Amino acid sequence: MRIGYGFDSHEFRSGIPLKIGGIALAHDQGLGGHSDGDVLLHAVTDALLGAIAAPDIGALFPPSDPKWKGADSAIFLREALKRVHSAGYTVGNVDASLILAAPKIGPHAAAIRARVAKLLGVHADCVGLKAKTPEGLGTDNAAIAHVVVLLARKPTRRRKDRRRK
Ligand SMILES: [Zn+2]
């Protein structure tokens, strides 16, 4: 088994859409960033990459590259997942904490969990999501995500061959 941890934060800005966990949320501000600013998918991506000791999201998709401006962050997650599979692992489960003052995540939690699960190819009950307000942190103008992921070794081919006989 391997464990991975990812952290990300983005600042709220007016006049851009808000996307968290691949889901568009109605809000008067969005998250600024070189891509679509999806703080949760970025933290999941970094957790996957960290679990296999691969280069992080900033190294693979440099913010300086105009190619990633406004990009759908699902692209980053899919690349990280591809690397996880190539390294011989599958995703066991993911647990995430989101810290933001607004909007309320509760009404969207099921949709976000389902979307993240679909992107990872796991069941929705393998994706945990908690949302907190930044009590005492003074980060009301930011969204923060912490994510841990557990990877399991894929069954070896030899074992599969044995089963076939
Ligand atoms: Zn980010």
Side-chain angles (χ1 to χ4, degrees), residues 8-10 34-35 37-39 42:
D8 196 32
S9 68
H10 284 269
H34 66 288
S35 61
D38 195 321
V39 68
H42 293 178

Side-chain angles (χ1 to χ4, degrees), residues 133-159:
T133 51
E135 302 297 324
L137 290 177
T139 56
D140 282 12
N141 200 39
I144 297 165
H146 295 270
V147 171
V148 287
V149 60
L150 191 72
L151 305 182
R153 260 259 173 242
K154 275 195 267 190
T156 63
R157 191 162 296 164
R158 233 177 114 205
R159 213 183 280 164

Side-chain angles (χ1 to χ4, degrees), residues 2-158:
R2 302 292 285 252
I3 190 163
Y5 166 72
F7 166 87
D8 196 32
S9 68
H10 284 269
E11 198 174 4
F12 279 103
R13 277 189 214 149
S14 297
I16 52 173
L18 176 62
K19 239 171 122 181
I20 294 182
I23 300 291
L25 304 182
H27 194 49
D28 58 345
Q29 292 183 310
L31 292 170
H34 66 288
S35 61
D36 62 5
D38 195 321
V39 68
L40 180 57
L41 292 195
H42 293 178
V44 172
T45 300
D46 256 352
L48 291 171
L49 293 169
I52 54 165
D56 70 11
I57 189 171
L60 293 180
F61 309 98
S64 52
D65 190 336
K67 191 160 102 180
W68 308 120
K69 194 167 160 48
D72 179 354
S73 294
I75 295 168
F76 309 150
L77 189 148
R78 284 195 192 100
E79 173 61 27
L81 189 63
K82 208 170 87 185
R83 285 171 182 249
V84 163
H85 290 157
S86 310
Y89 293 93
T90 58
V91 176
N93 76 301
V94 172
D95 191 18
S97 288
L98 273 173
I99 305 157
L100 71 176
K104 287 225 177 301
I105 295 300
H108 311 287
I112 292 171
R113 287 177 55 220
R115 177 66 184 148
V116 172
K118 191 167 184 216
L119 286 168
L120 291 171
V122 299
H123 197 269
D125 69 9
C126 294
V127 178
L129 177 66
K130 292 91 60 199
K132 311 247 169 206
T133 51
E135 302 297 324
L137 290 177
T139 56
D140 282 12
N141 200 39
I144 297 165
H146 295 270
V147 171
V148 287
V149 60
L150 191 72
L151 305 182
R153 260 259 173 242
K154 275 195 267 190
T156 63
R157 191 162 296 164
R158 233 177 114 205

